[in-house]
């Protein structure tokens, strides 16, 4: 009996089984103590673009670092902070302190900010506007998960009162590891966004052409979250409604004006107006064939009488500005348009603003691309300056659009252009003094409120950055479909020159709560010590087992 018991304990299978089970228990226990909790969220990357060889924004989009608080001097870490903390720190120091990535939490609902906070948020955007860094910089909406991540990061950053407590905190405290998805696709080298062009033809080959122009893309320091409702969603909506209103005059030969009208929704407006530049280049080449037809023109001798660029006309500012490179001549089409606008709306503050065009820097307004090529053009906007921060702000939200103001401005432009192309007197639709200037060629409901509201929801409520290929293709497809109901529609691919667009405007980040690497090292050391002790006991236990069995036999017998 004694020999059988000893043989049982000497069995290698028992030794292997006990070693395996105890090891699994210990490792499982360590994992339970350092339980991993994943939090997945969407983050939006800082802008990245290149113009004339100058790179702006964040040059990286990959993240795989441990999260630390703002001001931590650690290598290869993700600095996690809030937009308010950024306001109190030098952003240059942020890039110097962090060599991995930066994650900034912004309000989940920016509409809820009060006027003081909105001004502070504009300052935050200004700080990031001219950033050039190799770090991956993201922003994400602040919510309960974000609060939990910030709490863990800030708690770990707090200094322990003693060295022993600091050591214990280093061994047992949680760390946050933030990684990005590798499934995001960058833009291909042959990526070409589209211009969408609508056309209303007079039917006369010798007729001049008036072009309405609005870029459809949006931009801000964080392009993935900027809906660009006013800049330039209002311009996109205005062109669609102008097309719908003016198309009625082209339905019948008896009412058709002696002018061709083009409605151009251009790509890359925020990238130095690449769409307009491309269209002008193609127009001036006089190319015949498909490419030329795609531009909305059908003859070499088509003449642009005036290009009216429209941007940001949806805010209630009490005025409308006509931006031009220089004061137009008295009999020029631009001067006539300005006089008509003032005569139609005498109570509205309509001003001419001139700005000298620079050939060495990016264009301030879209009309400058036409003026550079000696083509008459102006920009209509409720903004008095191209440097107004509202043009490129996350705060440019649909709630800031005054639909009544937008409708009034669309109607004003439509009446002024209609009077010009029909050759009506500038003082009104009739030279008869008994007919007041308030009399309009348009009916009261010519500009449809419901249609404008629908266009705002469809084209001015979502981000449309040129770096987001899916969003760009979606908006151009919807624009072409909407415009096709009122006139001929053409699409043309835009070749981007002297600039470069980059993708990955948003990404999926994962925050994992894990124990530090030192903790895993301690656990591994404990497992090794246990296995060593067990091996020693198993190989030197024969005498102990024999004595124990002998004692048991004596007590029984």
């Amino acid at each position: 009996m004694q020999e059988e018991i000893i043989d049982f304990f000497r069995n290698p299978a028992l030794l292997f089984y006990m070693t395996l089970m105890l090891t699994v228990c210990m490792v499982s226990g360590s994992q339970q103590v350092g339980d991993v909790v994943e939090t997945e969220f969407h983050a939006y990357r800082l802008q990245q673009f290149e113009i004339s060889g100058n790179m702006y924004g964040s040059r990286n989009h990959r993240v795989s670092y441990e999260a630390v608080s703002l001001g931590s001097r650690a290598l290869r870490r993700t600095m996690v902070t809030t937009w308010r903390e950024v306001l109190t720190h030098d952003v240059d120091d942020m890039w110097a302190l962090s060599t991995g990535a930066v994650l900034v939490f912004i309000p989940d609902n920016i509409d809820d900010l009060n006027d003081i906070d909105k001004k502070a948020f504009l300052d935050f955007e200004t700080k990031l506007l001219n950033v050039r860094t190799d770090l991956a910089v993201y922003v994400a909406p602040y919510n309960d998960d974000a609060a939990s991540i910030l709490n863990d990061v800030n708690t770990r950053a707090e200094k322990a009162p003693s060295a022993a407590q600091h050591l214990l905190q280093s061994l047992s405290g949680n760390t946050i590891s933030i990684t990005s998805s590798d499934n995001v696709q960058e833009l291909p080298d042959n990526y070409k966004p589209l211009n969408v062009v609508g056309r209303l033809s007079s039917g006369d080959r010798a007729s001049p052409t008036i072009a309405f122009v609005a870029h459809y893309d949006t931009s801000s320091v964080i392009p993935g979250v900027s809906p660009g409702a006013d800049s330039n969603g209002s311009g996109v909506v205005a062109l669609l409604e102008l097309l719908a209103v003016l198309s009625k005059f082209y339905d019948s030969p008896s009412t058709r004006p002696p002018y061709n009208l083009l409605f151009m929704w251009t790509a890359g407006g925020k990238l130095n107006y690449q769409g307009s530049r491309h269209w002008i280049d193609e127009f001036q080449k006089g190319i015949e064939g498909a490419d030329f037809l795609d531009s909305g023109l059908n003859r070499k001798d088509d003449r642009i009488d005036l290009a009216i660029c429209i941007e940001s006309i949806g805010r209630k500012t009490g005025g409308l500005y006509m931006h031009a490179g220089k004061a137009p001549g008295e009999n020029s089409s631009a001067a006539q348009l300005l006089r008509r606008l003032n005569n139609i709306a005498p109570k509205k503050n309509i001003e001419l603003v001139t700005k000298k065009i620079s050939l060495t820097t990016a264009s301030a307004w879209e009309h400058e691309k036409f003026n550079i090529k000696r083509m008459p053009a102006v920009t209509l906007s409720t903004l008095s300056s191209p440097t107004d921060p509202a043009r490129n702000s996350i705060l440019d939200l649909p709630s800031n659009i005054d639909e009544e103001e937008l409708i009034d401005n669309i109607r004003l432009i439509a009446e002024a252009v209609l009077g010009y192309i029909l050759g009506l007197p500038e003082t009104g639709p009739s030279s008869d003094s008994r007919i007041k200037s308030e009399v309009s060629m348009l009916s009261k409901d010519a500009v449809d409120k419901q249609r404008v509201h629908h266009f705002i929801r469809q084209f001015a409520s979502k981000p449309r950055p040129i770096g987001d290929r899916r969003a760009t293709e979606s908006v151009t497809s919807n624009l072409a479909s909407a415009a096709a109901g009122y006139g001929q529609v053409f699409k043309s691919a835009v070749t981007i020159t002297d600039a470069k667009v980059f993708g990955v405007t948003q990404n999926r980040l994962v925050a994992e709560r894990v124990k530090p690497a030192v903790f895993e090292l301690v656990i591994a050391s404990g497992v090794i010590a246990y296995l060593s002790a067990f091996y020693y006991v198993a190989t030197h236990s024969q005498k102990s087992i024999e004595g124990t069995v002998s004692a048991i036999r004596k007590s029984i017998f």
Side-chain angles (χ1 to χ4, degrees):
M1 180 68 179
Q2 180 178 353
E3 293 297 330
E4 292 177 356
I5 296 176
I6 293 175
D7 289 341
F8 173 78
F9 281 100
R10 286 176 175 174
N11 191 334
L14 176 63
L15 176 63
F16 174 78
Y17 177 78
M18 293 182 64
T19 302
L20 177 64
M21 291 303 298
L22 291 173
T23 302
V24 169
C25 290
M26 182 168 287
V27 171
S28 298
S30 72
Q31 289 180 339
Q32 193 170 16
V33 173
D35 193 19
V36 177
V37 179
E38 279 191 359
T39 301
E40 183 178 314
F41 57 97
H42 271 86
Y44 304 87
R45 192 165 71 102
L46 187 71
Q47 63 182 359
Q48 182 185 8
F49 64 94
E50 180 182 328
I51 295 180
S52 300
N54 297 316
M55 182 74 76
Y56 298 89
S58 169
R59 298 181 180 90
N60 197 359
H61 62 83
R62 292 182 176 85
V63 180
S64 183
Y65 308 107
E66 178 185 331
V68 297
S69 62
L70 183 63
S72 297
R73 296 182 178 273
L75 296 177
R76 301 191 65 77
R77 298 292 187 266
T78 297
M79 189 176 292
V80 181
T81 184
T82 66
W83 69 277
R84 292 187 186 276
E85 287 184 306
V86 173
L87 286 173
T88 60
H89 287 74
D90 187 342
V91 291
D92 292 333
D93 287 343
M94 289 175 56
W95 316 137
L97 290 172
S98 178
T99 58
V102 175
L103 174 62
V104 183
F105 288 107
I106 62 174
D108 184 36
N109 190 348
I110 297 178
D111 256 343
D112 291 341
L113 295 177
N114 57 39
D115 291 341
I116 296 176
D117 285 341
K118 285 181 178 179
K119 185 178 183 304
F121 195 84
L122 281 174
D123 293 337
F124 162 73
E125 289 184 291
T126 302
K127 275 199 165 191
L128 297 181
L129 189 60
N130 294 315
V131 165
R132 305 179 188 186
T133 178
D134 291 327
L135 305 181
V137 182
Y138 285 91
V139 303
Y142 184 87
N143 51 30
D144 291 341
D145 290 334
S148 179
I149 292 172
L150 281 168
N151 180 66
D152 282 1
V153 169
N154 292 329
T155 299
R156 186 169 177 78
E158 294 176 357
K159 292 185 177 180
S162 66
Q165 289 179 329
H166 181 73
L167 178 61
L168 180 61
Q169 179 180 319
S170 299
L171 293 176
S172 61
N174 286 326
T175 63
I176 304 292
S177 175
I178 298 180
T179 57
S180 60
S181 171
D182 293 330
N183 296 326
V184 292
Q185 295 183 351
E186 300 189 42
L187 291 177
D189 293 335
N190 61 349
Y191 171 62
K192 292 184 179 182
L194 299 177
N195 282 342
V196 179
V197 183
R199 178 182 174 90
L200 297 176
S201 177
S202 68
D204 185 354
R205 299 184 63 180
S207 296
T209 298
I210 289 182
F212 296 93
V213 187
H215 63 272
Y216 59 78
D217 57 303
T218 61
S219 179
S220 72
V221 291
I222 312 295
V225 296
S226 177
D230 193 34
S231 180
N232 192 27
S234 63
V236 172
V237 171
L239 258 65
L240 282 169
E241 187 61 20
L242 285 169
L243 173 59
V245 171
L246 298 177
S247 65
K248 296 177 181 178
F249 291 86
Y250 285 79
D251 289 340
S252 171
S254 61
T255 60
R256 193 173 295 158
Y259 277 81
N260 300 314
L261 298 183
L262 290 182
F263 301 83
M264 299 163 47
W265 294 272
T266 58
K270 302 297 186 178
L271 203 65
N272 201 16
Y273 304 105
Q274 292 292 317
S276 287
R277 177 209 51 77
H278 175 87
W279 186 90
I280 295 168
D281 288 346
E282 294 299 307
F283 168 73
Q284 292 197 328
K285 287 178 184 177
I287 301 174
E288 295 200 30
D291 290 340
F292 192 57
L293 289 172
D294 286 348
S295 69
L297 299 169
N298 55 17
R299 297 183 65 249
K300 282 187 177 182
D301 56 352
D302 271 347
R303 175 174 60 87
I304 299 298
D305 189 63
L306 181 65
I308 304 172
C309 304
I310 300 177
E311 179 177 349
S312 301
I313 62 168
R315 292 177 184 265
K316 193 173 184 62
T317 61
L320 189 66
Y321 299 92
M322 176 183 283
H323 297 273
K326 61 180 181 180
E330 183 178 356
N331 295 322
S332 66
S333 52
Q336 293 182 56
L337 177 64
L338 180 60
R339 291 194 294 268
R340 289 178 183 277
L341 290 171
N342 277 300
N343 289 332
I344 294 171
K347 296 181 180 180
K348 199 179 189 74
N349 180 34
I350 302 174
E351 298 181 19
L352 174 67
V353 180
T354 59
K355 175 186 176 297
K356 187 176 180 180
I357 298 174
S358 172
L359 299 178
T360 58
T361 59
S363 298
W365 296 104
E366 195 156 11
H367 73 267
E368 295 182 6
K369 290 301 181 187
F370 292 85
N371 293 162
I372 290 173
K373 298 296 185 177
R374 301 187 180 279
M375 299 171 69
V378 296
T379 293
L380 297 178
S381 176
T382 57
L383 303 178
S384 60
S385 170
T387 59
D388 192 310
R391 288 185 77 193
N392 299 287
S393 175
I394 301 173
L395 297 173
D396 187 6
L397 303 170
S399 60
N400 293 328
I401 289 185
D402 188 314
E403 291 192 20
E404 292 298 327
E405 182 73 9
L406 177 58
I407 290 171
D408 287 346
N409 286 331
I410 293 173
R411 185 183 185 88
L412 173 60
I413 296 170
E415 289 188 5
V417 171
L418 194 58
Y420 175 75
I421 62 180
L422 291 176
L424 301 178
E426 290 183 5
T427 55
S430 174
S431 58
D432 192 329
S433 59
R434 293 172 297 177
I435 300 178
K436 296 183 179 180
S437 62
E438 286 80 2
V439 177
S440 170
M441 287 289 293
L442 300 176
S443 65
K444 181 179 179 181
D445 298 324
V447 180
D448 193 301
K449 292 183 179 181
Q450 291 185 349
R451 189 168 56 206
V452 170
H453 181 74
H454 171 71
F455 287 154
I456 290 174
R457 290 185 60 187
Q458 188 174 13
F459 298 106
S461 301
K462 297 178 182 179
R464 307 174 300 280
I466 190 173
D468 188 333
R469 184 175 184 177
R470 180 178 297 179
T472 300
E473 291 176 348
S474 174
V475 70
T476 53
S477 175
N478 290 334
L479 277 172
S481 177
Y486 307 103
Q488 294 176 290
V489 176
F490 310 87
K491 295 181 185 178
S492 61
V494 175
T495 301
I496 297 176
T497 61
D498 198 31
K500 188 174 182 180
V501 60
F502 297 86
V504 194
T505 59
Q506 59 181 292
N507 205 342
R508 181 176 59 85
L509 301 186
V510 177
E512 296 179 319
R513 288 181 177 82
V514 297
K515 292 299 179 182
V518 176
F519 179 82
E520 299 297 333
L521 182 61
V522 171
I523 292 296
S525 300
V527 171
I528 293 172
Y530 151 73
L531 291 176
S532 300
F534 187 82
Y535 177 77
Y536 178 83
V537 172
T539 55
H540 296 79
S541 60
Q542 181 174 351
K543 292 183 179 180
S544 300
I545 295 175
E546 290 177 350
T548 302
V549 172
S550 178
I552 293 173
R553 291 183 63 184
K554 289 180 179 180
S555 63
I556 295 175
F557 301 103

